[in-house]
Amino acid sequence: MIRELRNNKSINDFKKKKKTYFKNRLLCIIGYGSFFDKQNDKINDVDMVVILDDYSKTDLDKIAEAKRSSHLKIPLHAQILYETSMPKSGSYYSINTCGAFFLYKILKSGKLLYGRNIFSEITPPNQLILLLSVLQKLQQQRVISSPSSS
């Protein structure tokens, strides 16, 4: 079943829809996480980053339509980034959103699905920023997985 999911026509349908909806504005699609990790047998969702050239107020509607029409049977999470607002240094990715951790994850395990890997053009974060980001991510996971104290 896992192999069927990974070879799923729905992912290709989603990529084609993105190309149709965004035309020449679409610069890159990168998949990451359990779905694209060939050594992971537990698939919870599909994670993708979609990089567009610049902001348009219709982008979220187009992403939602592409997700609906892909008929994927597990949750699909698509993040939109804009090349015009992406820092060129990984040290400048927001610590509040675990940005350096996210960037490291994309650089190490992301799978290029379309276009050029814009993340490979970014200078990796310095070690301190990366460690702080990983610590924050661990703290978030601990809060999420802890039973509430009421």
Side-chain angles (χ1 to χ4, degrees):
M1 176 171 151
I2 291 168
R3 181 170 288 145
E4 290 171 11
L5 274 173
R6 287 195 175 116
N7 295 326
N8 195 317
K9 176 179 162 308
S10 297
I11 294 296
N12 289 325
D13 290 346
F14 182 73
K15 290 188 310 190
K16 287 177 190 170
K17 293 286 184 193
K18 294 263 191 183
K19 290 178 208 173
T20 301
Y21 291 135
F22 297 113
K23 299 188 182 355
N24 59 346
R25 292 186 55 230
L26 178 62
L27 304 177
C28 176
I29 301 175
I30 297 177
Y32 67 97
S34 62
F35 186 88
F36 297 99
D37 180 3
K38 301 293 186 214
Q39 298 172 0
N40 191 343
D41 289 338
K42 185 179 178 189
I43 298 174
N44 301 321
D45 57 9
V46 177
D47 298 301
M48 290 185 188
V49 176
V50 176
I51 301 178
L52 302 172
D53 60 353
D54 205 358
Y55 172 78
S56 170
K57 64 181 180 179
T58 62
D59 290 343
L60 291 178
D61 294 334
K62 290 177 182 178
I63 290 281
E65 178 56 32
K67 286 172 66 171
R68 275 192 300 275
S69 62
S70 72
H71 306 293
L72 196 61
K73 294 177 178 28
I74 58 177
L76 172 64
H77 304 285
Q79 298 180 43
I80 302 175
L81 296 177
Y82 299 101
E83 184 181 38
T84 54
S85 62
M86 290 176 67
K88 298 299 178 199
S89 170
S91 295
Y92 293 111
Y93 277 73
S94 173
I95 191 69
N96 295 327
T97 59
C98 305
F101 173 79
F102 173 75
L103 177 62
Y104 179 80
K105 192 172 178 179
I106 294 293
L107 289 173
K108 288 295 182 191
S109 64
K111 179 181 177 189
L112 183 63
L113 302 174
Y114 175 80
R116 77 181 201 278
N117 187 345
I118 293 173
F119 286 102
S120 67
E121 301 166 15
I122 296 171
T123 306
N126 73 43
Q127 189 171 9
L128 178 60
I129 297 291
L130 180 58
L131 290 173
L132 289 171
S133 182
V134 169
L135 177 62
Q136 183 180 27
K137 188 68 174 173
L138 290 170
Q139 288 172 334
Q140 286 176 351
Q141 293 297 341
R142 184 170 168 228
V143 168
I144 291 170
S145 63
S146 298
S148 63
S149 53
S150 20

